[in-house]
Amino acid sequence: MPGGHRVTESTRVRVFGIRHHGPGSARAVWRALAEFEPDTVLIEGPSDADPLAASAASDDLQPPVALLAYATGEPGTSAFWPFAAFSPEWQALRWAILHDADVRFCDLPAAQQLASGTEPGQDRPDPLVALAAAGGYDDFEQWWDTVVESGTPDDDHDHLADFDAITEAMAALREDTELDDHTARREAHMRQVLRATIKAGALKIAVVCGAMHAPALTGKLGPAAPDARLLKGVPKVKTSLTWVPWTHSRLASASGYGAGITSPGWYHHLFTQRQDTITRWLTRVARTLREHDLPVSSAHVIEATRLADTLAALRNRPLAGLAEVTEATRAVLCDGDDVLLEFVTRTLVVGEALGTVPDDTPTVPLDADLQATSKTLRLKRSAQNKALDLDLRKQLDLGRSRLLHRLRVLGISWGVPRTSDVRSTGTFRETWALQWEPELSVSLVEASRWGTTVESAAHALVLDRAGDRDATLAHVVDLLEEALLADLRDAIPDLLRSIDTAAALDHDVAHLMAALPTLIRTLRYGDVRGTDLSSLAHVADALLVRICAGLPAAMTGLDTDAADALRREVDAVHAALALRDDTASTQRWLDTLTVIADRDGVDRILTGRTVRLLRDMGRIDEQDTAVRVSRALSIGSEPAAKARWIDGFVGDGALLLIHDRALLTLIDRWVSGLHGQDFVDVLPVLRRTFGGFEATERATLGAILRGSAAVRTVTHVDVERGRRATAATALILGVRA
């Protein structure tokens, strides 16, 4: 038998060294297995996943999928072994099941790999670069794409000989390569599994593994003692394994996957489209571009195909590969536009597809509940980023909103809130961006310790966080808002008690002010979600009383940074009270602002702000406002203090100045009267104040002020200066004045 594969007189072993996730390798493995007809197939993968191999017989297990292994009790310690339709390992698994061959995994158990902290794919050997370079290619991706992936050997081709040649090439590369300890243990374990399989009576054994491991499993295996010593004492952890959906983008090397490939979408096309491969691919590209209203015709596809074939011929390659197709796409279909090419690469070359797993796949109860609830709410997991607009007046949309908010509480970001492009309908409208990421399977396992259903887990987690001794008032209030959005009604009484306790212990007025807007905002959800929030109004009232009692003293003696921060809190509380529209609360707040407006020792930005808020609410009239502005800008105060008063009063108030010409004139005269260093000192504050206005608002103010300046200029003409200016202009133009 060629290649020295005979192990005993009665047992034959063939080692098929493959490239992970290579469509050419996948096709060759299937044909080689059909030619060899083994009774046992060993596949590179965690050997403690053997009980899951039979799941590949289900039509509901559709790649891309991955074996997920996680440390029982510590789901954060986890690893994935991905499989695509074009993965040789997946095709070997399917062949063995369809042909009633025994199939098992032969790599180190996940229990040992998790304990070592080494993720699958991290030890991909670099010597493959040398093999590609020997073939005249820049990297082995291009070499393998041309030699194997894009090849189309006929049915009479000797696939066993191809794998023998690959093994010999890898053996030559390994001569100058020193194996790391982890790789050595992996290969020792593979040999031990192979020995056990032979001892169990297998007659024809096929081993499907990474090409670099093939020489270690070929020929005589030698004594088992050295391998046993190498594996002795290897640490392990208790591990749970299951199948989870995977995506093409997570197979890409750009995602950080160690054994990743650059073009999973392209490889899937190579594997599934054997006839007219290039033409069909470029047709897909053209269709995708046309879907985005880009002018691409059949003539473009024909020309791009010719260009790709011509480039392959110029480079002495039997078929056009991804490099040639990409260049043809850029030149013909994208008209040289690299932005369009990047779109094609992201959408098609990498591509996106989400696999599926059977409903009876072993999983944690929390995941099973999520799947059942998602099916009821007609929410389908998808790898594509899709917008979901919800109208909370509809029961289906309200249920979807509750589920997505509960998942966010658990740290499972299947949906992310976003700003809607649809015309808003107030608090009844929510918009989400939905995208299922494979890593969310691990998040589900991590969250399962809080409960067996999404609702119970979210409820337990919220109460646990609220009970943390380091939880601040603002944090507990945020938890209450999350609980209301997630409709965790049973948690609300406990959260309200936690808020009462935290508020009683927190004497910092700034902390109380930071919590109040969130409390008031949560009151808005009562009408939409049917939650009784009467007790929440009582908490908000009590919090406001404490704020109003302590705010005047808290505003005294602050430095600039602290005053700026407190100004933002004042604005937030004022806006929240306006949203609540409660007369008693509003009057209490305005009474407090009136005290602050006349109080000494308060930073001028705060007094200016309180005057502005009182004016906007009608507590002080226009005449009183003008007097206060005039007093603030009068002689006797430092220019910088005056500028801060103006910043507090005018900030975000361009319309106020546009419509109140008298107030604008007053400020304009003060600024115009500044001289020398005074103007330099106040300029940063004034720039911040007026720079916050919209461009159109600044332009309007400028036009108003220019008009006023024009009027003043007409009434005060300096004839002598005008005569000199006219003479100078005439001299420059070369005309007689």
Side-chain angles (χ1 to χ4, degrees):
M1 178 171 178
H5 295 283
R6 187 177 301 279
V7 178
T8 68
E9 292 297 326
S10 58
T11 304
R12 289 192 298 165
V13 177
R14 296 301 300 245
V15 180
F16 303 135
I18 50 88
R19 173 165 175 239
H20 299 298
H21 315 303
S25 294
R27 285 193 299 268
V29 161
W30 185 278
R31 288 169 173 165
L33 290 173
E35 183 178 335
F36 182 49
E37 296 183 340
D39 55 52
T40 303
V41 179
L42 303 181
I43 300 172
E44 181 180 328
S47 56
D48 43 2
D50 283 348
L52 297 173
S55 299
S58 172
D59 291 336
D60 293 329
L61 187 65
Q62 292 291 330
V65 292
L67 285 170
L68 164 63
Y70 58 91
T72 306
E74 296 182 17
T77 303
S78 60
F80 296 94
W81 284 262
F83 298 86
F86 51 82
S87 298
E89 300 93 333
W90 175 258
Q91 291 301 318
L93 184 59
R94 290 286 296 171
W95 187 94
I97 289 174
L98 292 175
H99 292 81
D100 295 324
D102 289 337
V103 60
R104 65 193 68 169
F105 296 105
C106 61
D107 205 345
L108 270 179
Q112 295 181 3
Q113 300 205 44
L114 292 179
S116 69
T118 303
E119 295 184 7
Q122 284 188 348
D123 57 349
R124 184 176 62 179
D126 291 334
L128 282 173
V129 176
L131 188 61
Y137 291 83
D138 295 334
D139 59 69
F140 74 87
E141 294 279 356
Q142 293 178 349
W143 177 84
W144 202 290
D145 180 64
T146 299
V147 175
V148 179
E149 314 299 8
S150 298
T152 55
D154 56 39
D155 293 335
D156 295 330
H157 188 80
D158 187 351
H159 299 283
L160 297 178
D162 281 346
F163 284 110
D164 289 341
I166 291 173
T167 300
E168 291 176 6
M170 294 300 106
L173 287 174
R174 285 171 61 104
E175 290 178 359
D176 299 323
T177 303
E178 183 177 353
L179 297 181
D180 60 85
D181 293 341
H182 180 67
T183 302
R185 283 193 293 269
R186 289 180 61 195
E187 293 181 350
H189 189 274
M190 291 180 190
R191 286 190 292 268
Q192 291 287 64
V193 172
L194 182 54
R195 292 186 182 99
T197 303
I198 295 171
K199 186 176 180 180
L203 298 179
K204 298 176 71 175
I205 304 171
V207 181
V208 180
C209 63
M212 285 300 291
H213 301 303
L217 307 176
T218 301
K220 294 184 178 181
L221 297 177
D227 289 339
R229 286 194 298 269
L230 191 60
L231 295 171
K232 185 177 181 180
V234 175
K236 63 176 64 177
V237 296
K238 187 177 180 180
T239 306
S240 301
L241 294 100
T242 186
W243 288 105
V244 296
W246 201 250
T247 64
H248 275 171
S249 63
R250 284 297 186 270
L251 284 170
S253 53
S255 70
Y257 172 42
I261 53 179
T262 59
S263 49
W266 165 254
Y267 280 172
H268 183 81
H269 177 80
L270 287 179
F271 186 73
T272 57
Q273 301 293 335
R274 296 302 313 279
Q275 302 296 325
D276 299 321
T277 304
I278 305 304
T279 303
R280 291 176 182 271
W281 173 262
L282 293 171
T283 301
R284 284 186 61 198
V285 174
R287 184 184 304 115
T288 301
L289 293 175
R290 282 197 296 268
E291 288 173 355
H292 290 77
D293 299 325
L294 295 170
V296 180
S297 66
S298 300
H300 286 92
V301 175
I302 295 171
E303 185 60 32
T305 304
R306 289 173 176 169
L307 178 57
D309 291 340
T310 301
L311 289 172
L314 289 173
R315 295 166 181 171
N316 294 321
R317 297 178 181 177
L319 291 172
L322 180 59
E324 290 75 29
V325 170
T326 299
E327 291 180 39
T329 300
R330 176 193 284 112
V332 181
L333 301 182
C334 296
D335 199 23
D337 190 333
D338 285 335
V339 175
L340 284 181
L341 182 65
E342 172 61 26
F343 168 74
V344 171
T345 300
R346 184 176 63 254
T347 306
L348 295 178
V349 177
V350 173
E352 196 55 282
L354 180 67
T356 60
V357 299
D359 293 337
D360 59 355
T361 300
T363 184
V364 293
L366 179 64
D367 191 10
D369 177 69
L370 175 58
Q371 292 182 37
T373 306
S374 301
K375 185 176 296 185
T376 301
L377 297 173
R378 300 202 292 273
L379 283 176
K380 186 178 181 180
R381 298 179 183 182
S382 172
Q384 302 290 340
N385 193 317
K386 297 182 178 180
L388 178 67
D389 287 305
L390 302 179
D391 184 342
L392 303 184
R393 293 168 293 188
K394 300 177 180 178
Q395 280 302 118
L396 178 62
D397 285 357
L398 183 58
R400 290 172 169 177
S401 173
R402 289 169 179 164
L403 176 63
L404 294 174
H405 279 294
R406 288 169 181 173
L407 291 175
R408 281 178 58 80
V409 169
L410 294 171
I412 303 169
S413 299
W414 181 11
V416 177
R418 54 170 287 185
T419 302
S420 177
D421 295 330
V422 180
R423 184 177 178 180
S424 175
T425 55
T427 57
F428 294 102
R429 171 71 63 185
E430 280 186 356
T431 299
W432 296 78
L434 294 186
Q435 185 175 25
W436 186 264
E437 301 282 358
E439 291 80 3
L440 295 180
S441 298
V442 176
S443 299
L444 276 168
V445 177
E446 290 177 322
S448 64
R449 68 188 180 97
W450 297 106
T452 57
T453 67
V454 175
E455 181 179 5
S456 64
H459 174 273
L461 180 55
V462 163
L463 294 186
D464 181 79
R465 290 175 178 171
D468 191 331
R469 66 176 60 186
D470 296 326
T472 63
L473 174 60
H475 178 62
V476 179
V477 170
D478 288 340
L479 288 174
L480 175 62
E481 184 178 30
E482 292 179 12
L484 288 170
L485 292 170
D487 196 22
L488 303 175
R489 303 188 183 198
D490 294 339
I492 291 175
D494 291 328
L495 289 172
L496 291 176
R497 285 191 291 271
S498 297
I499 290 174
D500 277 335
T501 302
L505 297 176
D506 198 332
H507 302 287
D508 191 320
V509 174
H511 291 172
L512 302 179
M513 294 177 72
L516 184 61
T518 304
L519 271 179
I520 293 177
R521 187 168 60 248
T522 57
L523 288 170
R524 301 183 65 187
Y525 296 107
D527 294 334
V528 181
R529 301 174 186 275
T531 307
D532 181 10
L533 298 177
S534 56
S535 55
L536 182 60
H538 171 73
V539 174
D541 289 338
L543 210 59
L544 179 62
V545 169
R546 295 187 58 195
I547 290 172
C548 291
L551 186 57
M555 282 192 170
T556 305
L558 298 178
D559 60 21
T560 299
D561 292 339
D564 289 341
L566 196 56
R567 171 198 172 182
R568 291 190 290 271
E569 299 295 350
V570 168
D571 285 345
V573 170
H574 187 81
L577 291 172
L579 178 69
R580 186 181 181 188
D581 195 22
D582 178 75
T583 303
S585 299
T586 301
Q587 291 303 318
R588 179 179 289 113
W589 173 249
L590 294 179
D591 289 342
T592 303
L593 294 185
T594 302
V595 172
I596 295 170
D598 297 322
R599 189 180 182 91
D600 294 331
V602 178
D603 190 283
R604 301 297 292 277
I605 198 171
L606 294 173
T607 54
R609 197 59 174 173
T610 54
V611 170
R612 163 71 184 286
L613 296 178
L614 291 169
R615 176 200 176 278
D616 290 347
M617 296 298 294
R619 179 59 72 92
I620 59 177
D621 56 22
E622 299 296 333
Q623 183 178 357
D624 191 4
T625 301
V627 170
R628 290 173 181 271
V629 174
S630 179
R631 185 189 308 154
L633 300 180
S634 63
I635 299 174
S637 299
E638 293 293 328
K642 297 176 184 179
R644 284 185 64 77
W645 197 97
I646 290 297
D647 187 19
F649 181 79
V650 177
D652 303 324
L655 293 179
L656 172 65
L657 297 180
I658 291 173
H659 295 291
D660 193 334
R661 300 296 176 86
L663 182 60
L664 177 60
T665 301
L666 190 63
I667 297 175
D668 179 41
R669 287 176 180 171
W670 171 67
V671 175
S672 301
L674 293 172
H675 298 286
Q677 189 61 39
D678 289 344
F679 178 78
V680 174
D681 292 340
V682 304
L683 184 58
V685 179
L686 293 176
R687 186 187 296 274
R688 182 181 68 178
T689 302
F690 291 94
F693 297 164
E694 297 290 339
T696 54
E697 294 172 337
R698 294 198 301 270
T700 301
L701 287 173
I704 294 172
L705 292 172
R706 283 194 299 273
S708 301
V711 173
R712 291 196 298 270
T713 302
V714 170
T715 56
H716 300 85
V717 177
D718 188 332
V719 177
E720 181 57 31
R721 291 182 64 187
R723 183 181 294 112
R724 291 199 299 270
T726 301
T729 303
L731 182 62
I732 293 172
L733 297 176
V735 298
R736 181 174 298 178

